Amino acid sequence: QVQLVESGGGSVQAGGSLRLSCAASGSTYSNVLMGWFRQAPGKEREGVAAIYTAFGATYYADSVKGRFTITRDTGKKTVYLQMNSVKPEDTAMYYCAADLYPAGASTWSVPRRYDSWGQGTQVTVSS
């Protein structure tokens, strides 16, 4: 299994930037689909972005395309989410997740396909 720890959340004004990190530890897998999700109070958890660790293919929710960038550092076993031009509607708890035996990418934003989850990091955007 894999343990995930998120960091980098905080409070930022609209238009600003944040970079979230997700550090993985535990067993090593040749290719993992790493996802970032978020959940605001009273709302369902939604996929924000995902990346295959082996070859770097990325996927984004329409709401964050052009503003957020997901990257990975395989040597550090860390995935990042660079958040630029943030908006108040980006306010949520952000979670990192790992699909250890990924198949197709069409369901990258579906939470139940992921095997391991971090504890989350809060992002608050003020207007």
Side-chain angles (χ1 to χ4, degrees):
Q1 279 292 342
V2 171
Q3 292 76 47
L4 304 174
V5 178
E6 304 97 333
S7 61
S11 297
V12 61
Q13 289 193 327
S17 298
L18 276 177
R19 189 177 80 156
L20 307 183
S21 299
C22 172
S25 61
S27 301
T28 299
Y29 296 81
S30 60
N31 185 32
V32 177
L33 180 65
M34 296 295 298
W36 281 102
F37 288 78
R38 65 186 181 187
Q39 188 167 21
K43 294 189 176 181
E44 292 187 354
R45 189 167 297 190
E46 64 169 344
V48 175
I51 186 169
Y52 279 100
T53 57
F55 47 89
T58 58
Y59 309 88
Y60 295 94
D62 288 343
S63 58
V64 306
K65 278 181 182 176
R67 300 189 299 122
F68 291 8
T69 303
I70 187 170
T71 58
R72 90 284 192 213
D73 184 328
T74 54
K76 294 182 178 179
K77 298 178 72 174
T78 300
V79 173
Y80 303 97
L81 184 69
Q82 180 66 44
M83 306 169 60
N84 296 330
S85 303
V86 296
K87 304 175 181 179
E89 50 264 44
D90 294 322
T91 295
M93 184 71 79
Y94 282 71
Y95 298 91
C96 174
D99 180 350
L100 305 178
Y101 306 98
S106 62
T107 58
W108 70 266
S109 62
V110 177
R112 66 176 180 270
R113 71 173 286 174
Y114 291 83
D115 308 288
S116 299
W117 290 83
Q119 81 290 346
T121 186
Q122 177 68 38
V123 172
T124 302
V125 182
S126 58
S127 57

